[in-house]
Amino acid sequence: MAENHPTRSRGPALAVLCAASLMVVLDSSIVAVALPAIQADLGFTPAGLSWVFTAYLVAFGGLLLLSGRLGDLLGRRRVFLGGLGLFTLSSLVAGLAADAGVLVVARFTQGVGGALASAVVLGMIVTMYPEPRARAKAIGVYSFTQAAGASIGLIAGGALTQALSWHWTFYVNLPIGVAALLLAVRVVAPDHGTGLRAGLDVLGAVLVTAAVMLGVYGISASSWGAVAAAVVLLAAFAVRQAKARTPLLPLRLFRIRAVAGANVVMVLMVAGMLGFQFVTALYLQQVLGLDALRTGVAFLPVPLVIAVASLGFADRLAARFGPRAVLLSGLGLVIVGLLLLTQVSDAYFTGVLPPLLLMGLGAGAAIPALMGLAMADVPAADAGVASGLINTTQQVGAAIGTAVLAAVAAVRTASLDTLDHREALASGYRLAYGVSAGFLIAAVALGGLVLTRRRTHPAPTPVPEVCTADPA
């Protein structure tokens, strides 16, 4: 169990945790716009180049659940520091890579470190902030890093690649990682896990890690054999968890309505939102003709609006109307933005920008509400694995959304190959936006049915030794 955190130390600790989390999220997208330069420099084949991206996602998504449980057993601070150190060292190796194989291995190791570091962050935050209003504010800060990280990564990747070289998309992690490590040792309070003697379900860990890795790979590479194998392994994992004396993922968590509902909603929501970012990056470059740097800059309004919503007023809305109402309303705004994009014109400022702003506003309100619902009723001893679970469902949703929307756009474009190629591409991307809206509509329907109404009440008057100020 974590120790109580005085207010004066909670703010710096939250800043360090969120900075490290943002760095890990950035790395899933920062390299995307650098891929052509990496291919030209290191001689990747077209098929091999995808592994620069996929190796990170496979390791990251596959190890989140195990990393969360290790945090519960060994102490979340210890796992966070170990993962952050591994991620930073792997970033150095990736930046120095002069061989394709070395870069892919370094990217996989980055994913391992990223999983260890990020899986426990949300669990640490909810333990640091037991008061409902302060917790909602802190989760809003964390949610900003999750929601805006991919967009910031595209901006940073374009700028670094164009101004310096692709190597700097990895070197940029070094000063951030080292600073976060040094500060975390000082400001993040130690916590005590239940200990490995409480039991680690090794077989369950192998089954679920292999299942998620195969699933993420299979969806990303359209390998349905791998997806089928992942489903079989996941079923075996569920059976194992029902019988294990100390399960990796206690099935009792799924009896908590908010946990089960929030994780399924997360898959659908991220499938629509992250898939949308992938499609829009292609739309801006292939239809509007923007280069890598201008494509990144075109996304800049999205994280800015997300910051205004998630850091500015999302917690107050949740306190007044309840997180369920904020979640459904925010997703409604995202749906409207996506539907507007199905009719998008070729002009950025009048056709693309208004829907982007609307979607950023909705996402900035919805994501903190969903994160709060996913963790609200979780016992303290299971906070790490619950944090790892919600991060895992994010990765699964991202893989599903990207694969589905890319396939939809490609099929639609191919069916219109008799038209002007640019118009055929635009038509494919517009259809993908419609499918993305479908994911979000399903998320709203499920959230309305499954998630219960709850209101975040102000915290009671604190006793002297526990402060309850906001995390700022």
Side-chain angles (χ1 to χ4, degrees):
M1 297 292 292
E3 301 171 357
N4 286 333
H5 292 246
T7 299
R8 64 178 179 273
S9 68
R10 292 194 308 186
L14 177 65
V16 170
L17 294 176
C18 289
S21 180
L22 178 62
M23 180 177 65
V24 172
V25 172
L26 286 178
D27 234 61
S28 65
S29 62
I30 193 172
V31 74
V33 293
L35 289 177
I38 292 173
Q39 182 177 21
D41 197 12
L42 299 185
F44 274 96
T45 65
L49 185 64
S50 66
W51 278 102
V52 178
F53 193 73
T54 305
Y56 181 85
L57 293 180
V58 165
F60 184 71
L63 290 168
L64 281 166
L65 196 57
L66 174 59
S67 299
R69 177 48 84 193
L70 285 175
D72 291 333
L73 297 177
L74 300 176
R76 294 170 202 132
R77 177 179 179 267
R78 183 182 300 172
V79 171
F80 171 77
L81 293 174
L84 186 57
L86 180 60
F87 181 89
T88 305
L89 180 61
S90 301
S91 297
L92 175 62
V93 175
L96 293 172
D99 174 80
V102 172
L103 180 58
V104 170
V105 171
R107 287 288 285 167
F108 185 90
T109 311
Q110 271 190 308
V112 175
L116 289 167
S118 63
V120 296
V121 168
L122 186 57
M124 295 169 77
I125 290 172
V126 299
T127 304
M128 285 165 52
Y129 291 94
E131 315 86 14
R133 179 65 185 275
R135 175 183 291 185
K137 185 76 172 178
I139 289 177
V141 177
Y142 170 77
S143 298
F144 165 73
T145 69
Q146 301 296 297
S151 296
I152 296 173
L154 291 173
I155 298 167
L160 290 169
T161 301
Q162 194 155 316
L164 298 169
S165 73
W166 65 264
H167 301 274
W168 284 92
T169 62
F170 302 111
Y171 290 151
V172 71
N173 294 329
L174 301 182
I176 301 172
V178 171
L181 273 170
L182 295 175
L183 289 171
V185 171
R186 292 177 58 90
V187 302
V188 177
D191 62 313
H192 305 289
T194 56
L196 285 177
R197 63 183 177 275
L200 177 64
D201 180 15
V202 177
L203 177 58
V206 171
L207 288 171
V208 74
T209 300
V212 177
M213 283 186 173
L214 275 172
V216 171
Y217 165 72
I219 293 168
S220 301
S222 299
S223 173
W224 302 115
V227 172
V231 172
V232 172
L233 288 172
L234 199 58
F237 171 71
V239 172
R240 170 66 182 174
Q241 298 313 285
K243 297 180 177 180
R245 184 173 63 86
T246 53
L248 178 69
L249 176 61
L251 297 183
R252 65 178 179 272
L253 284 177
F254 294 103
R255 292 197 290 269
I256 303 174
R257 191 182 180 100
V259 171
N263 276 276
V264 178
V265 170
M266 179 65 79
V267 171
L268 295 168
M269 182 177 75
V270 173
M273 289 185 181
L274 266 293
F276 139 80
Q277 288 193 333
F278 171 79
V279 168
T280 302
L282 294 176
Y283 181 88
L284 292 172
Q285 293 182 73
Q286 296 180 353
V287 177
L288 298 191
L290 304 184
D291 60 21
L293 179 58
R294 288 192 293 168
T295 296
V297 172
F299 272 101
L300 182 59
V302 177
L304 293 178
V305 176
I306 289 175
V308 170
S310 60
L311 306 181
F313 56 79
D315 62 311
R316 293 196 293 272
L317 290 177
R320 178 162 183 170
F321 301 107
R324 176 181 178 271
V326 174
L327 168 66
L328 299 181
S329 300
L331 293 182
L333 291 178
V334 177
I335 291 169
V336 172
L338 286 168
L339 292 177
L340 289 175
L341 285 173
T342 63
Q343 308 296 319
V344 67
S345 68
D346 291 346
Y348 170 76
F349 286 102
T350 58
V352 178
L353 181 59
L356 289 184
L357 296 176
L358 196 62
M359 293 175 66
L361 186 64
I367 294 176
L370 185 58
M371 292 283 190
L373 286 166
M375 299 295 294
D377 298 327
V378 174
D382 294 327
V385 72
S387 173
L389 178 62
I390 196 69
N391 278 284
T392 300
T393 55
Q394 285 186 69
Q395 296 305 307
V396 172
I400 291 173
T402 302
V404 169
L405 296 186
V408 165
V411 170
R412 176 66 171 174
T413 298
S415 71
L416 299 174
D417 59 1
T418 57
L419 298 178
D420 174 74
H421 182 61
R422 183 167 166 271
E423 180 54 38
L425 285 169
S427 180
Y429 295 142
R430 291 187 193 110
L431 178 60
Y433 288 134
V435 174
S436 191
F439 280 124
L440 272 296
I441 291 169
V444 168
L446 184 69
L449 289 172
V450 176
L451 297 175
T452 56
R453 294 180 177 85
R454 60 168 67 236
R455 185 169 298 225
T456 304
H457 298 289
T461 302
V463 293
E465 61 268 28
V466 179
C467 300
T468 58
D470 285 348

